[in-house]
């Protein structure tokens, strides 16, 4: 948005007070991300304003997940709390996503907007993957976090200035060198844990009780399913829907868009992968194939991606997988019904289902300690963990 002259800022990461604020206007039956985002909106409106009327960007969707209804409830809550004039921009994640996105900006082509959006999003995704590869093995993890925050800020500035790909790729080369310089050795080996599940909760430290931080403190190394995985999935669904309806122009446009996005990701990932191994996302078709024995891709939503990613993690030698879900999340619950079969088919690889509702779970520490110790025992890794944070 800022790259095209529209003032914009991300809302600060939520905390317990944010959830309390959101719970005041929900019934408790909504999923955790819904309550948190409502709380974030209300807290934003309660802060001192700079004279401008804010609007919120909250993507929508259709399908089995309640996510598509968030914006409807948010508008009702805003009206109920005296903010009826506040707009919620909610483009649907279908073929018209970028078209709806572009309507709020003047004189910007959809193709140009898509490329700029994607460079920013996938670059941030890659930097976070790099952080997770380096931090567990660094002598000073806090120094890695500090450098990552600085690099992310610089990345946002490059996107805002709409720098060319050669500049962005050069930045990634420097970032890879600087981050890996903080890691003297990748030994002794730590248990490798793949984190999958509902995209908001798995990515949001407050929502998941700082799951990755806790696991790293126990001596594990984690890999988080990326945001870009979901965008490629939306592309695949749009292509399938366009083919089914005979919308061949949309079918071709989405194929081209997907190819461009894959190309951008590969160019940005290449400098990092020279230091850290594969970071770019696997083809969506490969995830569908991996999930097929358990969930058909016709069952739309994150469930098929989560199952496919679990199999992918197994094939890449991970020691275990954690399925992160909001309490009562329907797609994640469906995944939970398949984890025993997945463990049996994946050579006994342990899979832990964790449900989060925003409340502190006193048993979480014990469960994570037991899980990490189980992985060590299965893989023959010697104990060397620090005390849990």
């Amino acid at each position: 948005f800022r790259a095209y002259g529209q003032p914009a800022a991300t809302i600060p990461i939520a905390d317990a007070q944010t959830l309390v604020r959101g719970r005041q206007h929900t019934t408790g039956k909504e999923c955790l991300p819904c309550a948190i985002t409502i709380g974030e909106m209300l807290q934003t409106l309660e802060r001192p304003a700079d004279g401008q009327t804010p609007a919120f960007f909250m993507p929508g969707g259709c399908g089995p997940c309640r996510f598509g209804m968030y914006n409807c409830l948010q508008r009702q809550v805003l009206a109920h709390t005296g903010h009826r004039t506040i707009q919620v921009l909610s483009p649907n994640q279908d073929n018209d996503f970028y078209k709806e996105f572009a309507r709020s900006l003047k004189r910007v082509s959809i193709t140009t907007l898509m490329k700029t959006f994607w460079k920013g999003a996938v670059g941030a995704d890659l930097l976070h993957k790099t952080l997770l590869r380096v931090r567990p093995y660094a002598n000073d993890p806090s120094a890695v976090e500090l450098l990552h925050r600085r690099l992310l800020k610089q990345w946002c500035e490059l996107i805002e200035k709409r720098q060319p790909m050669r500049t962005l790729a050069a930045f990634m080369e420097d970032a890879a060198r600087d981050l890996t310089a903080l890691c003297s050795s990748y030994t002794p080996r730590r248990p490798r844990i793949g984190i999958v599940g509902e995209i908001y909760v798995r990515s949001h430290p407050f929502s998941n009780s700082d799951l990755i931080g806790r696991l790293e403190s126990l001596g594990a190394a984690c890999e988080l399913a990326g945001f870009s995985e979901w965008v490629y999935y939306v592309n695949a669904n749009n292509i399938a829907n366009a083919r089914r309806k005979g919308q061949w122009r949309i079918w071709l446009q989405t194929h081209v868009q997907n190819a461009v996005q894959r190309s951008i990701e590969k160019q940005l990932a290449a400098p990092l992968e020279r230091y850290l191994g594969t970071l770019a996302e696997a083809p969506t078709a490969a995830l569908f194939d991996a999930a097929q024995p358990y969930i058909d891709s016709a069952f739309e939503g994150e469930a098929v991606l989560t199952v496919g990613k679990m199999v992918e993690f197994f094939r890449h030698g991970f020691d275990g997988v954690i399925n992160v879900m909001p309490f009562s999340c329907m797609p994640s619950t469906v995944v939970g019904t398949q984890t025993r079969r997945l463990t049996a088919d994946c050579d006994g690889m342990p899979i832990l289902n964790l449900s989060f509702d925003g409340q502190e779970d006193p048993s979480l520490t014990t469960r994570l300690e037991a899980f990490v110790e189980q992985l060590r025992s299965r893989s023959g890794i010697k104990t060397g963990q620090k005390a849990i944070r």
Side-chain angles (χ1 to χ4, degrees):
F1 274 117
R2 293 201 301 263
Y4 296 100
Q6 176 65 51
T10 51
I11 295 176
I13 293 291
D15 55 20
Q17 189 55 44
T18 309
L19 179 58
V20 169
R21 195 75 180 88
R23 290 291 194 209
Q24 291 172 349
H25 298 276
T26 51
T27 66
K29 297 178 181 178
E30 303 81 4
C31 18
L32 179 60
C34 183
I36 290 177
T37 50
I38 287 174
E40 288 175 326
M41 289 180 175
L42 294 175
Q43 284 185 324
T44 298
L45 294 171
E46 289 160 2
R47 296 189 188 102
D50 58 4
Q52 293 182 321
T53 302
F56 294 105
F57 180 78
M58 179 74 217
C62 55
C65 180
R66 289 175 286 180
F67 166 70
M69 301 303 294
Y70 283 15
N71 67 92
C72 302
L73 178 57
Q74 287 161 350
R75 289 188 178 97
Q76 290 181 4
V77 171
L78 290 175
H80 178 71
T81 54
H83 303 293
R84 189 177 298 275
T85 59
I86 299 298
Q87 293 186 44
V88 178
L89 177 63
S90 187
N92 199 324
Q93 295 178 142
D94 59 11
N95 294 313
D96 292 330
F97 176 78
Y98 296 105
K99 186 184 296 182
E100 293 185 41
F101 195 176
R103 284 174 186 164
S104 60
L105 302 171
K106 297 178 180 179
R107 300 182 298 278
V108 182
S109 74
I110 296 172
T111 301
T112 301
L113 179 68
M114 180 273 289
K115 288 181 179 178
T116 306
F117 159 77
W118 184 243
K119 289 172 186 174
V122 77
D125 214 16
L126 290 167
L127 286 173
H128 191 255
K129 289 180 179 181
T130 302
L131 169 71
L132 295 185
R133 292 276 177 97
V134 173
R135 186 173 59 191
Y137 293 94
N139 295 325
D140 184 1
S142 62
V144 179
E145 292 177 10
L146 220 66
L147 176 56
H148 173 261
R149 285 199 293 271
R150 179 163 60 82
L151 291 170
L152 187 58
K153 183 175 183 293
Q154 292 172 348
W155 180 253
C156 292
E157 291 169 353
L158 290 174
I159 296 301
E160 188 173 348
K161 295 174 182 175
R162 291 150 63 182
Q163 295 296 312
M165 276 299 299
R166 63 179 179 275
T167 302
L168 301 180
F171 173 86
M172 287 297 182
E173 181 75 43
D174 293 340
R177 185 178 60 250
D178 293 346
L179 281 165
T180 53
L182 297 176
C183 180
S184 57
S185 172
Y186 285 90
T187 55
R189 189 174 91 77
R190 293 166 175 256
R192 296 173 69 204
I193 301 175
I195 309 295
V196 298
E198 194 274 329
I199 191 168
Y200 184 95
V201 174
R202 78 187 187 210
S203 307
H204 194 274
F206 168 71
S207 297
N208 60 43
S209 299
D210 191 24
L211 176 64
I212 290 178
R214 287 170 178 257
L215 290 167
E216 287 184 359
S217 294
L218 286 168
C222 300
E223 188 146 319
L224 178 68
F227 166 76
S228 50
E229 173 193 78
W230 176 255
V231 177
Y232 291 135
Y233 171 72
V234 171
N235 289 346
N237 263 7
N238 290 342
I239 288 170
N241 290 335
R243 182 175 61 246
R244 186 164 54 247
K245 297 175 183 177
Q247 298 171 329
W248 301 114
R249 182 178 177 181
I250 293 175
W251 178 86
L252 179 60
Q253 287 175 339
T254 311
H255 261 298
V256 172
Q257 172 187 301
N258 191 68
V260 169
Q261 290 176 322
R262 289 279 184 183
S263 174
I264 290 172
E265 183 189 26
K266 287 179 180 178
Q267 291 178 68
L268 294 177
L272 300 167
E273 290 179 336
R274 284 195 287 272
Y275 292 83
L276 296 162
T278 303
L279 292 170
E281 288 295 325
T284 304
L287 294 180
F288 285 171
D289 289 344
Q292 181 60 44
Y294 313 96
I295 298 178
D296 192 274
S297 60
F299 184 81
E300 296 184 6
E302 284 172 325
V304 66
L305 290 180
T306 298
V307 170
K309 198 72 171 182
M310 286 179 175
V311 177
E312 182 185 278
F313 278 140
F314 166 71
R315 291 172 178 171
H316 283 83
F318 279 69
D319 299 295
V321 174
I322 294 180
N323 175 35
V324 176
M325 49 185 168
F327 179 70
S328 81
C329 174
M330 184 268 285
S332 296
T333 302
V334 169
V335 173
T337 68
Q338 300 301 308
T339 51
R340 285 191 179 183
R341 289 180 60 202
L342 282 157
T343 293
D345 294 344
C346 294
D347 196 29
M349 179 184 72
I351 299 174
L352 178 63
N353 295 304
L354 290 180
S355 178
F356 295 90
D357 62 0
Q359 306 300 313
E360 181 63 32
D361 180 0
S363 69
L364 180 60
T365 296
T366 304
R367 295 180 71 188
L368 294 181
E369 287 174 342
F371 186 68
V372 173
E373 190 55 41
Q374 180 186 13
L375 302 186
R376 277 202 188 89
S377 177
R378 289 187 76 251
S379 305
I381 301 172
K382 292 182 180 180
T383 302
Q385 78 264 35
K386 308 173 226 177
I388 193 164
R389 289 193 247 192

